[in-house]
Amino acid sequence: MARRLPVYLLLDCSESMIGGPLESVEAGVHSMLSALKRDPHSMETVFVSIITFDTKARVVTPLTEVYAVRPPQLSAHPGTAMGAALTLLQDSIKKEVKQTTASQKGDYKPLIFIMTDGVPTDEWRGPAKSLQNVQPKIANIYAIGCGDEVDFTALREITDNCIYLKGLTPANLKDLFVWLSASVQTQSVSVNPDQLVSLEKLPLKTGMELISPDNIPKLSEKPRLFFHILCSREHNHFLARYTYSPEKDCYLSEEPLPLQEDFFSEGTAKGAPIDTSTLYSPPTCPFCGAETFGGCPKCGAVFCLHSGDTEVDCPSCDAHIRFSKDGTGSPLIIDGSKG
Ligand SMILES: [Zn+2]
Ligand SMILES: [Zn+2]
């Protein structure tokens, strides 16, 4: 039996990927698999596993021969559990990759691609460290940071091969997956797939840049803000997204996105508290059209609010709350034990 070339794809499915980016990643994985399935050599040797991470990490596709891999449907959840993903990767490698022993030729060393657009929200240093000692040994790890909110300092601790993808645009993501398939193909046809093909033989696409230790992109000081708003009429959640505008020196609202029902199915991730005074133009509730939002002083839920509504029941905990007419001052709990 031919030796296998295991390829692990680790994909960030945090809430900042919701919408266009996640669809582009899905399309990218799809075309990568098609390209590998058209290539006789890859068909023979390449095995693919897909691991996603957000609130937690999960194996979407265990290590499978490439022709049998079905393109996964990805869904987003809060958080960026990169540490959990690195731990799961090590468990999978130990379980799935055959070691070379005195009596058997094992698999080739696995190739790892980690793709993320943010900052890890869990403990990742320990798992990043133990990754270096996993058996069978890893051939190479490519960490691909997409956009301006990536913690490249963290990625550099995982691998020296950090690639910066400038912007999560459909074109960039498409090119990225073309490059990924080319890397896997090149590795699979090399004389010795255990010996790593150097990046010089894998020219990066426009929009991709190799990060060197002395040009690590700085984390944006004003990252995008995301928070979840509960519709007070329909009781569904939507995602409010804010982008900082240097010209106006405040955060402007982007189009809000309704969240899938399973968004919170695996729990919530703690976000940093948001200073609402820097926010401008509240998002319109996509469910009921309410023009603004308020926070519950009792349970902390943020919910949509029709302007002019001064007394409402919190849709999350039922506390009866009074807002001042002009929207200034803190909301008051009138009756916290309603019901
Ligand atoms: Zn609403
Ligand atoms: Zn409440």
PDB file of all heavy atoms in Angstrom, residues 104-131:
ATOM      1  N   GLN A 104       7.451  -1.613   9.943  1.00  0.00           N
ATOM      2  CA  GLN A 104       6.560  -1.035   8.926  1.00  0.00           C
ATOM      3  C   GLN A 104       6.956   0.386   8.548  1.00  0.00           C
ATOM      4  O   GLN A 104       7.461   1.154   9.359  1.00  0.00           O
ATOM      5  CB  GLN A 104       5.104  -1.041   9.427  1.00  0.00           C
ATOM      6  CG  GLN A 104       4.858  -0.059  10.555  1.00  0.00           C
ATOM      7  CD  GLN A 104       3.369   0.219  10.792  1.00  0.00           C
ATOM      8  OE1 GLN A 104       2.498  -0.382  10.187  1.00  0.00           O
ATOM      9  NE2 GLN A 104       3.079   1.149  11.679  1.00  0.00           N
ATOM     10  N   LYS A 105       6.737   0.685   7.251  1.00  0.00           N
ATOM     11  CA  LYS A 105       6.901   2.047   6.761  1.00  0.00           C
ATOM     12  C   LYS A 105       5.610   2.784   7.111  1.00  0.00           C
ATOM     13  O   LYS A 105       4.538   2.403   6.653  1.00  0.00           O
ATOM     14  CB  LYS A 105       7.037   2.021   5.226  1.00  0.00           C
ATOM     15  CG  LYS A 105       8.432   2.098   4.609  1.00  0.00           C
ATOM     16  CD  LYS A 105       9.120   3.374   4.793  1.00  0.00           C
ATOM     17  CE  LYS A 105      10.374   3.599   3.967  1.00  0.00           C
ATOM     18  NZ  LYS A 105      11.365   4.231   4.838  1.00  0.00           N
ATOM     19  N   GLY A 106       5.699   3.805   7.916  1.00  0.00           N
ATOM     20  CA  GLY A 106       4.483   4.518   8.305  1.00  0.00           C
ATOM     21  C   GLY A 106       4.069   5.539   7.259  1.00  0.00           C
ATOM     22  O   GLY A 106       4.530   5.508   6.117  1.00  0.00           O
ATOM     23  N   ASP A 107       3.198   6.450   7.674  1.00  0.00           N
ATOM     24  CA  ASP A 107       2.758   7.520   6.776  1.00  0.00           C
ATOM     25  C   ASP A 107       3.855   8.570   6.641  1.00  0.00           C
ATOM     26  O   ASP A 107       4.792   8.619   7.437  1.00  0.00           O
ATOM     27  CB  ASP A 107       1.511   8.205   7.360  1.00  0.00           C
ATOM     28  CG  ASP A 107       0.313   7.273   7.369  1.00  0.00           C
ATOM     29  OD1 ASP A 107       0.184   6.477   6.424  1.00  0.00           O
ATOM     30  OD2 ASP A 107      -0.492   7.357   8.322  1.00  0.00           O
ATOM     31  N   TYR A 108       3.698   9.425   5.621  1.00  0.00           N
ATOM     32  CA  TYR A 108       4.565  10.601   5.548  1.00  0.00           C
ATOM     33  C   TYR A 108       4.213  11.521   6.703  1.00  0.00           C
ATOM     34  O   TYR A 108       3.140  11.409   7.308  1.00  0.00           O
ATOM     35  CB  TYR A 108       4.368  11.326   4.216  1.00  0.00           C
ATOM     36  CG  TYR A 108       4.842  10.527   3.033  1.00  0.00           C
ATOM     37  CD1 TYR A 108       3.955  10.114   2.052  1.00  0.00           C
ATOM     38  CD2 TYR A 108       6.190  10.183   2.903  1.00  0.00           C
ATOM     39  CE1 TYR A 108       4.386   9.372   0.964  1.00  0.00           C
ATOM     40  CE2 TYR A 108       6.621   9.442   1.812  1.00  0.00           C
ATOM     41  CZ  TYR A 108       5.720   9.032   0.852  1.00  0.00           C
ATOM     42  OH  TYR A 108       6.148   8.293  -0.211  1.00  0.00           O
ATOM     43  N   LYS A 109       5.123  12.436   6.993  1.00  0.00           N
ATOM     44  CA  LYS A 109       4.838  13.377   8.084  1.00  0.00           C
ATOM     45  C   LYS A 109       3.679  14.286   7.680  1.00  0.00           C
ATOM     46  O   LYS A 109       3.635  14.775   6.548  1.00  0.00           O
ATOM     47  CB  LYS A 109       6.071  14.239   8.356  1.00  0.00           C
ATOM     48  CG  LYS A 109       7.231  13.462   8.949  1.00  0.00           C
ATOM     49  CD  LYS A 109       8.413  14.381   9.113  1.00  0.00           C
ATOM     50  CE  LYS A 109       9.651  13.619   9.525  1.00  0.00           C
ATOM     51  NZ  LYS A 109      10.868  14.402   9.295  1.00  0.00           N
ATOM     52  N   PRO A 110       2.763  14.534   8.600  1.00  0.00           N
ATOM     53  CA  PRO A 110       1.590  15.343   8.228  1.00  0.00           C
ATOM     54  C   PRO A 110       1.917  16.807   7.946  1.00  0.00           C
ATOM     55  O   PRO A 110       2.852  17.371   8.504  1.00  0.00           O
ATOM     56  CB  PRO A 110       0.672  15.219   9.445  1.00  0.00           C
ATOM     57  CG  PRO A 110       1.475  14.613  10.531  1.00  0.00           C
ATOM     58  CD  PRO A 110       2.676  13.970   9.937  1.00  0.00           C
ATOM     59  N   LEU A 111       1.082  17.362   7.064  1.00  0.00           N
ATOM     60  CA  LEU A 111       1.140  18.795   6.742  1.00  0.00           C
ATOM     61  C   LEU A 111      -0.037  19.468   7.447  1.00  0.00           C
ATOM     62  O   LEU A 111      -1.152  18.972   7.368  1.00  0.00           O
ATOM     63  CB  LEU A 111       0.899  18.989   5.253  1.00  0.00           C
ATOM     64  CG  LEU A 111       2.033  19.063   4.261  1.00  0.00           C
ATOM     65  CD1 LEU A 111       1.445  19.390   2.887  1.00  0.00           C
ATOM     66  CD2 LEU A 111       3.040  20.115   4.669  1.00  0.00           C
ATOM     67  N   ILE A 112       0.224  20.582   8.100  1.00  0.00           N
ATOM     68  CA  ILE A 112      -0.836  21.260   8.847  1.00  0.00           C
ATOM     69  C   ILE A 112      -1.049  22.670   8.286  1.00  0.00           C
ATOM     70  O   ILE A 112      -0.070  23.392   8.075  1.00  0.00           O
ATOM     71  CB  ILE A 112      -0.457  21.413  10.348  1.00  0.00           C
ATOM     72  CG1 ILE A 112       0.240  20.160  10.888  1.00  0.00           C
ATOM     73  CG2 ILE A 112      -1.664  21.839  11.175  1.00  0.00           C
ATOM     74  CD1 ILE A 112      -0.584  18.961  11.027  1.00  0.00           C
ATOM     75  N   PHE A 113      -2.285  23.036   8.069  1.00  0.00           N
ATOM     76  CA  PHE A 113      -2.623  24.413   7.694  1.00  0.00           C
ATOM     77  C   PHE A 113      -3.611  24.959   8.718  1.00  0.00           C
ATOM     78  O   PHE A 113      -4.678  24.375   8.916  1.00  0.00           O
ATOM     79  CB  PHE A 113      -3.269  24.467   6.305  1.00  0.00           C
ATOM     80  CG  PHE A 113      -2.365  23.990   5.199  1.00  0.00           C
ATOM     81  CD1 PHE A 113      -2.398  22.669   4.777  1.00  0.00           C
ATOM     82  CD2 PHE A 113      -1.479  24.869   4.584  1.00  0.00           C
ATOM     83  CE1 PHE A 113      -1.568  22.219   3.755  1.00  0.00           C
ATOM     84  CE2 PHE A 113      -0.639  24.429   3.562  1.00  0.00           C
ATOM     85  CZ  PHE A 113      -0.684  23.107   3.147  1.00  0.00           C
ATOM     86  N   ILE A 114      -3.214  26.049   9.379  1.00  0.00           N
ATOM     87  CA  ILE A 114      -4.116  26.676  10.353  1.00  0.00           C
ATOM     88  C   ILE A 114      -4.546  28.017   9.790  1.00  0.00           C
ATOM     89  O   ILE A 114      -3.709  28.827   9.402  1.00  0.00           O
ATOM     90  CB  ILE A 114      -3.403  26.918  11.704  1.00  0.00           C
ATOM     91  CG1 ILE A 114      -2.836  25.611  12.249  1.00  0.00           C
ATOM     92  CG2 ILE A 114      -4.347  27.569  12.712  1.00  0.00           C
ATOM     93  CD1 ILE A 114      -1.896  25.797  13.433  1.00  0.00           C
ATOM     94  N   MET A 115      -5.841  28.250   9.744  1.00  0.00           N
ATOM     95  CA  MET A 115      -6.327  29.512   9.223  1.00  0.00           C
ATOM     96  C   MET A 115      -7.142  30.225  10.292  1.00  0.00           C
ATOM     97  O   MET A 115      -8.049  29.644  10.870  1.00  0.00           O
ATOM     98  CB  MET A 115      -7.216  29.184   8.034  1.00  0.00           C
ATOM     99  CG  MET A 115      -7.475  30.348   7.180  1.00  0.00           C
ATOM    100  SD  MET A 115      -8.744  29.892   6.018  1.00  0.00           S
ATOM    101  CE  MET A 115      -9.535  31.456   6.012  1.00  0.00           C
ATOM    102  N   THR A 116      -6.791  31.485  10.570  1.00  0.00           N
ATOM    103  CA  THR A 116      -7.521  32.222  11.602  1.00  0.00           C
ATOM    104  C   THR A 116      -7.637  33.696  11.229  1.00  0.00           C
ATOM    105  O   THR A 116      -6.830  34.204  10.453  1.00  0.00           O
ATOM    106  CB  THR A 116      -6.831  32.077  12.985  1.00  0.00           C
ATOM    107  OG1 THR A 116      -7.577  32.817  13.956  1.00  0.00           O
ATOM    108  CG2 THR A 116      -5.410  32.610  12.961  1.00  0.00           C
ATOM    109  N   ASP A 117      -8.646  34.360  11.774  1.00  0.00           N
ATOM    110  CA  ASP A 117      -8.805  35.793  11.492  1.00  0.00           C
ATOM    111  C   ASP A 117      -8.795  36.610  12.769  1.00  0.00           C
ATOM    112  O   ASP A 117      -9.183  37.771  12.768  1.00  0.00           O
ATOM    113  CB  ASP A 117     -10.099  36.057  10.709  1.00  0.00           C
ATOM    114  CG  ASP A 117     -11.326  36.015  11.601  1.00  0.00           C
ATOM    115  OD1 ASP A 117     -11.312  35.264  12.594  1.00  0.00           O
ATOM    116  OD2 ASP A 117     -12.286  36.746  11.316  1.00  0.00           O
ATOM    117  N   GLY A 118      -8.378  35.988  13.884  1.00  0.00           N
ATOM    118  CA  GLY A 118      -8.493  36.752  15.129  1.00  0.00           C
ATOM    119  C   GLY A 118      -7.467  36.385  16.179  1.00  0.00           C
ATOM    120  O   GLY A 118      -6.374  35.910  15.880  1.00  0.00           O
ATOM    121  N   VAL A 119      -7.843  36.597  17.405  1.00  0.00           N
ATOM    122  CA  VAL A 119      -6.986  36.377  18.553  1.00  0.00           C
ATOM    123  C   VAL A 119      -7.553  35.179  19.322  1.00  0.00           C
ATOM    124  O   VAL A 119      -8.759  35.124  19.542  1.00  0.00           O
ATOM    125  CB  VAL A 119      -7.002  37.641  19.452  1.00  0.00           C
ATOM    126  CG1 VAL A 119      -6.193  37.432  20.714  1.00  0.00           C
ATOM    127  CG2 VAL A 119      -6.506  38.847  18.675  1.00  0.00           C
ATOM    128  N   PRO A 120      -6.689  34.218  19.717  1.00  0.00           N
ATOM    129  CA  PRO A 120      -7.224  33.069  20.462  1.00  0.00           C
ATOM    130  C   PRO A 120      -7.940  33.525  21.732  1.00  0.00           C
ATOM    131  O   PRO A 120      -7.491  34.459  22.398  1.00  0.00           O
ATOM    132  CB  PRO A 120      -5.974  32.258  20.820  1.00  0.00           C
ATOM    133  CG  PRO A 120      -4.917  32.703  19.876  1.00  0.00           C
ATOM    134  CD  PRO A 120      -5.239  34.117  19.502  1.00  0.00           C
ATOM    135  N   THR A 121      -9.054  32.864  22.051  1.00  0.00           N
ATOM    136  CA  THR A 121      -9.790  33.229  23.264  1.00  0.00           C
ATOM    137  C   THR A 121      -9.606  32.187  24.364  1.00  0.00           C
ATOM    138  O   THR A 121     -10.239  32.261  25.393  1.00  0.00           O
ATOM    139  CB  THR A 121     -11.305  33.362  22.960  1.00  0.00           C
ATOM    140  OG1 THR A 121     -11.744  32.194  22.270  1.00  0.00           O
ATOM    141  CG2 THR A 121     -11.603  34.591  22.122  1.00  0.00           C
ATOM    142  N   ASP A 122      -8.763  31.177  24.121  1.00  0.00           N
ATOM    143  CA  ASP A 122      -8.520  30.196  25.181  1.00  0.00           C
ATOM    144  C   ASP A 122      -7.009  30.057  25.391  1.00  0.00           C
ATOM    145  O   ASP A 122      -6.219  30.761  24.762  1.00  0.00           O
ATOM    146  CB  ASP A 122      -9.171  28.839  24.848  1.00  0.00           C
ATOM    147  CG  ASP A 122      -8.559  28.178  23.609  1.00  0.00           C
ATOM    148  OD1 ASP A 122      -7.800  28.859  22.876  1.00  0.00           O
ATOM    149  OD2 ASP A 122      -8.836  26.997  23.380  1.00  0.00           O
ATOM    150  N   GLU A 123      -6.627  29.143  26.273  1.00  0.00           N
ATOM    151  CA  GLU A 123      -5.206  28.955  26.571  1.00  0.00           C
ATOM    152  C   GLU A 123      -4.593  28.166  25.416  1.00  0.00           C
ATOM    153  O   GLU A 123      -4.946  27.017  25.185  1.00  0.00           O
ATOM    154  CB  GLU A 123      -5.073  28.194  27.897  1.00  0.00           C
ATOM    155  CG  GLU A 123      -3.755  28.417  28.605  1.00  0.00           C
ATOM    156  CD  GLU A 123      -2.552  27.837  27.866  1.00  0.00           C
ATOM    157  OE1 GLU A 123      -2.470  26.609  27.687  1.00  0.00           O
ATOM    158  OE2 GLU A 123      -1.672  28.639  27.451  1.00  0.00           O
ATOM    159  N   TRP A 124      -3.647  28.776  24.699  1.00  0.00           N
ATOM    160  CA  TRP A 124      -3.113  28.120  23.500  1.00  0.00           C
ATOM    161  C   TRP A 124      -1.611  27.844  23.629  1.00  0.00           C
ATOM    162  O   TRP A 124      -1.059  27.045  22.889  1.00  0.00           O
ATOM    163  CB  TRP A 124      -3.360  29.004  22.271  1.00  0.00           C
ATOM    164  CG  TRP A 124      -2.791  30.384  22.442  1.00  0.00           C
ATOM    165  CD1 TRP A 124      -3.430  31.452  23.008  1.00  0.00           C
ATOM    166  CD2 TRP A 124      -1.477  30.818  22.126  1.00  0.00           C
ATOM    167  NE1 TRP A 124      -2.588  32.532  23.048  1.00  0.00           N
ATOM    168  CE2 TRP A 124      -1.383  32.171  22.512  1.00  0.00           C
ATOM    169  CE3 TRP A 124      -0.363  30.198  21.544  1.00  0.00           C
ATOM    170  CZ2 TRP A 124      -0.211  32.917  22.351  1.00  0.00           C
ATOM    171  CZ3 TRP A 124       0.794  30.945  21.389  1.00  0.00           C
ATOM    172  CH2 TRP A 124       0.866  32.289  21.787  1.00  0.00           C
ATOM    173  N   ARG A 125      -0.923  28.513  24.598  1.00  0.00           N
ATOM    174  CA  ARG A 125       0.538  28.386  24.654  1.00  0.00           C
ATOM    175  C   ARG A 125       0.995  26.967  24.953  1.00  0.00           C
ATOM    176  O   ARG A 125       1.910  26.454  24.323  1.00  0.00           O
ATOM    177  CB  ARG A 125       1.121  29.342  25.708  1.00  0.00           C
ATOM    178  CG  ARG A 125       1.273  30.736  25.202  1.00  0.00           C
ATOM    179  CD  ARG A 125       2.424  31.465  25.889  1.00  0.00           C
ATOM    180  NE  ARG A 125       2.804  32.623  25.112  1.00  0.00           N
ATOM    181  CZ  ARG A 125       2.148  33.792  25.158  1.00  0.00           C
ATOM    182  NH1 ARG A 125       1.105  33.927  25.942  1.00  0.00           N
ATOM    183  NH2 ARG A 125       2.539  34.793  24.409  1.00  0.00           N
ATOM    184  N   GLY A 126       0.327  26.329  25.922  1.00  0.00           N
ATOM    185  CA  GLY A 126       0.670  24.949  26.284  1.00  0.00           C
ATOM    186  C   GLY A 126       0.517  24.021  25.079  1.00  0.00           C
ATOM    187  O   GLY A 126       1.473  23.345  24.673  1.00  0.00           O
ATOM    188  N   PRO A 127      -0.689  23.996  24.468  1.00  0.00           N
ATOM    189  CA  PRO A 127      -0.889  23.150  23.279  1.00  0.00           C
ATOM    190  C   PRO A 127       0.065  23.497  22.131  1.00  0.00           C
ATOM    191  O   PRO A 127       0.508  22.601  21.405  1.00  0.00           O
ATOM    192  CB  PRO A 127      -2.338  23.441  22.871  1.00  0.00           C
ATOM    193  CG  PRO A 127      -3.007  23.907  24.117  1.00  0.00           C
ATOM    194  CD  PRO A 127      -1.963  24.588  24.939  1.00  0.00           C
ATOM    195  N   ALA A 128       0.424  24.782  21.953  1.00  0.00           N
ATOM    196  CA  ALA A 128       1.348  25.162  20.874  1.00  0.00           C
ATOM    197  C   ALA A 128       2.719  24.555  21.144  1.00  0.00           C
ATOM    198  O   ALA A 128       3.408  24.100  20.229  1.00  0.00           O
ATOM    199  CB  ALA A 128       1.446  26.682  20.774  1.00  0.00           C
ATOM    200  N   LYS A 129       3.105  24.527  22.412  1.00  0.00           N
ATOM    201  CA  LYS A 129       4.412  23.999  22.787  1.00  0.00           C
ATOM    202  C   LYS A 129       4.465  22.484  22.591  1.00  0.00           C
ATOM    203  O   LYS A 129       5.408  21.952  22.020  1.00  0.00           O
ATOM    204  CB  LYS A 129       4.701  24.349  24.249  1.00  0.00           C
ATOM    205  CG  LYS A 129       6.129  24.714  24.463  1.00  0.00           C
ATOM    206  CD  LYS A 129       6.341  25.353  25.791  1.00  0.00           C
ATOM    207  CE  LYS A 129       7.828  25.675  25.885  1.00  0.00           C
ATOM    208  NZ  LYS A 129       8.169  26.090  27.230  1.00  0.00           N
ATOM    209  N   SER A 130       3.430  21.800  23.061  1.00  0.00           N
ATOM    210  CA  SER A 130       3.473  20.335  22.986  1.00  0.00           C
ATOM    211  C   SER A 130       3.338  19.845  21.550  1.00  0.00           C
ATOM    212  O   SER A 130       3.712  18.712  21.237  1.00  0.00           O
ATOM    213  CB  SER A 130       2.403  19.709  23.883  1.00  0.00           C
ATOM    214  OG  SER A 130       1.126  20.198  23.564  1.00  0.00           O
ATOM    215  N   LEU A 131       2.838  20.710  20.668  1.00  0.00           N
ATOM    216  CA  LEU A 131       2.723  20.365  19.249  1.00  0.00           C
ATOM    217  C   LEU A 131       4.104  20.050  18.647  1.00  0.00           C
ATOM    218  O   LEU A 131       4.235  19.223  17.752  1.00  0.00           O
ATOM    219  CB  LEU A 131       2.082  21.548  18.516  1.00  0.00           C
ATOM    220  CG  LEU A 131       1.545  21.349  17.113  1.00  0.00           C
ATOM    221  CD1 LEU A 131       0.486  20.251  17.098  1.00  0.00           C
ATOM    222  CD2 LEU A 131       0.920  22.655  16.603  1.00  0.00           C
TER     223      LEU A 131
END
